[in-house]
Amino acid sequence: MNQTRSGSILGAGDAVLAFDVGGTDTKSALIDRSGSLLVVRRTPTVRNIHDPAGAIVESIATLSRMHLDQWPLVMPAAIGVSVPGLVDERTGIVHLAASLDWQDVPMRRLVGEAIGLPVSFGHDVRAAAAAECRLGAATGARTAIVVAIGTGVAASLVIDGAPHSGDGYAGELGHSLSDPTGERCPCGAVGCLETIASASAIARRYSLKSGIRVAGAREVLHAASAGDPTARAVWAQAIQALAESLARLVAVIAPEIIVIGGGLAQAGPALLDPLRAHLDALLSFHRRPRLERAAFGENAGLIGTALLARDGAHETLHLTKTRRK
Amino acid sequence: MNQTRSGSILGAGDAVLAFDVGGTDTKSALIDRSGSLLVVRRTPTVRNIHDPAGAIVESIATLSRMHLDQWPLVMPAAIGVSVPGLVDERTGIVHLAASLDWQDVPMRRLVGEAIGLPVSFGHDVRAAAAAECRLGAATGARTAIVVAIGTGVAASLVIDGAPHSGDGYAGELGHSLSDPTGERCPCGAVGCLETIASASAIARRYSLKSGIRVAGAREVLHAASAGDPTARAVWAQAIQALAESLARLVAVIAPEIIVIGGGLAQAGPALLDPLRAHLDALLSFHRRPRLERAAFGENAGLIGTALLARDGAHETLHLTKTRRK
């Protein structure tokens, strides 16, 4: 599935390739020197149980060629690749990406060998946070929290303008304790926020309590709007759990702004208005952050990855520059 | 009360004056060029309801003269002052220090005018964190959480080696939500960690439940060790609440080390051993931090303030250098 974009989002700079590899889909784009995403391709993330990382590197190489064949006059200076999981941007190693079946993958090196361009390697949510802080909803903020709510819940803490990585382990808001008496999370801990407030948890909890199977949180929200008491309760519990988790972060981190992205943010005011009210009620003397919807929606990770690629374009020397076949 | 110290703690550098102004006591020291705290004075923090900040500035000037008169050959290059509360180190302004009855006090300017030395102005817990990270238990860590548990509970997040200030609003771990069904905190919020796990909360909760008046958490710990079930329950609730709050921070911040300081840290293994076990039980794939007792105990804030004073010794030009009378 392709989606053509017009207009410069990133501003003038190097042309780069950007890949946002998700557990389900991979988004990729070629960005030209004006900063426009020439085309955004969305393709199913390839699976190979025998060589899960190798298959994705190969797919990145194939998609790169497709982008470059389509725009033969655009010469990318670098490539950026972001993935979910425990990602150490500094070393370029993925410690663990459960949704991709990866463990200890030296992703930056593998992509560099396959593509022959300087590689910037990132984490999907921290890349999205970079996009929101440099070009989007959090522009100008020195301290921000960017939350992605979808299949899971993840956060990126932006401290003095830079997403905090914690050697790849930071930002696991979805796997932070919400309800000590709650259910066991697949991660092994009890009462994780993700078991209550992710889009998939909202759908799962509603199906469980109502006996009505729903495909996603959108249907739960529709049912809640139509007055379904079970749907209202499940939605309210998710909002309350999110508000409590955010209030705790506000006390300790004191962000100027909290940006909400990911699939659930498409609910718009149905999510943000009660979340803002609940968060406000939980705070006292604390600095109250603005609570805003992400500017870049589902492309935030891709745009942030393109920014990382531009940052890294002149950092690494490569011997081979055989980027076209 | 004076306490003489020997040996270089800070290492060679400028001689400086350091003040750690607390809600009850003020600790002050003159540090010589070898980095030794020549003497640590502990004096009651002066109170003047008509001019709370002015009275303290005057007391800092008086104490400075006492230090300098005692060591006439030591020429301090700068002075450091730390206070609790909402402290913006960048602007030198105290937004709010409830324990000192201060609001919007331009402390750096006031001290500079009174003392005629370059002034570094800090927050007590972030200064303690700087001491622990540069010279103490967290030396070498890039990401750390330093927690002070005493009358209140406060934390400093150290990100890439620097305590995070959030324009003065960060680190309010004591006023982050612990128990949504808990009691109302004097701050106005409900169920703050400080209402369960501060040293004073432990004493207060034990007195309330047992009918036995105790002066402090130490007596509760003694009673718990002697088998008093109420004391054991109060102590266990405090440990559990601390472990839950720390586990949440571990998920999002991924510190390499958590340092526990403040008065309650004097409990040593009776605090740290169960806290470590409870924290461990709440984590799954997260990076497990070391949990260590603060190296500098009650002088951490003073030592950190002296480090800040040294950092700032050559940053500011002052017209007057009339530092001796």
Side-chain angles (χ1 to χ4, degrees), chain B residues 185 222 260:
Chain B
C185 176
H222 284 167
I260 307 287

Side-chain angles (χ1 to χ4, degrees), chain B residues 26 41 53 92 96 136 147 155 157 159 168 184 186 211 230 255 263 278 281 313:
Chain B
T26 294
R41 287 173 193 269
L96 184 72
V147 184
L157 309 184
I159 307 283
R184 190 167 289 275
T230 307
H278 280 66

Side-chain angles (χ1 to χ4, degrees), chain A residues 145 147 246 250 255-260 279 289-292:
Chain A
I145 301 173
V147 184
L246 293 178
V250 166
E256 296 152 62
I257 181 169
I258 297 175
V259 177
I260 307 287
L279 176 59
R290 288 184 292 136
L291 186 76
E292 304 282 354

Side-chain angles (χ1 to χ4, degrees), chain B residues 22-265:
Chain B
T24 309
D25 287 339
T26 294
K27 279 169 266 177
S28 61
L30 180 61
I31 291 93
D32 68 9
R33 293 176 60 90
S34 81
S36 297
L37 280 70
L38 293 174
V39 69
V40 176
R41 287 173 193 269
R42 189 170 187 143
T43 45
T45 298
V46 295
R47 297 282 177 181
N48 182 330
I49 53 166
H50 303 296
D51 185 11
I56 286 179
V57 171
E58 201 175 293
S59 145
I60 288 173
T62 306
L63 282 161
S64 294
R65 277 194 296 276
M66 290 170 67
H67 280 288
L68 298 176
D69 287 347
Q70 190 178 353
W71 301 91
L73 297 181
V74 177
M75 303 285 281
I79 182 170
V81 178
S82 290
V83 305
L86 300 180
V87 171
D88 189 343
E89 292 95 334
R90 213 162 33 96
T91 59
I93 290 171
V94 182
H95 298 305
L96 184 72
S99 62
L100 300 172
D101 292 320
W102 288 7
Q103 200 165 352
D104 295 322
V105 173
M107 193 61 186
R108 184 162 59 207
R109 181 172 63 74
L110 294 177
V111 173
E113 286 168 1
I115 311 290
L117 282 174
V119 183
S120 283
F121 184 61
H123 177 261
D124 58 349
V125 179
R126 287 193 287 279
E132 293 293 341
C133 284
R134 285 162 66 171
L135 304 168
T139 303
R142 297 192 312 147
T143 306
I145 301 173
V146 179
V147 184
I149 313 175
T151 315
V153 177
S156 174
L157 309 184
V158 178
I159 307 283
D160 285 333
H164 169 60
S165 163
D167 302 314
Y169 291 89
E172 296 290 348
L173 183 65
H175 297 288
S176 73
L177 178 65
S178 176
D179 178 4
T181 64
E183 63 185 282
R184 190 167 289 275
C185 176
C187 84
V190 167
C192 289
L193 178 63
E194 203 163 290
T195 65
I196 302 167
S198 69
S200 39
I202 291 170
R204 182 176 50 74
R205 282 160 67 88
Y206 175 73
S207 295
L208 202 70
K209 290 177 192 207
S210 68
I212 302 164
R213 282 195 63 184
V214 291
R218 189 190 303 263
E219 289 172 56
V220 182
L221 179 58
H222 284 167
S225 306
D228 177 338
T230 307
R232 293 177 90 113
V234 166
W235 187 259
Q237 285 155 8
I239 299 274
Q240 181 64 26
L242 283 170
E244 290 179 2
S245 291
L246 292 178
R248 290 173 175 124
L249 288 182
V250 166
V252 176
I253 293 163
E256 296 152 63
I257 182 169
I258 297 175
V259 177
I260 307 287
L264 203 70

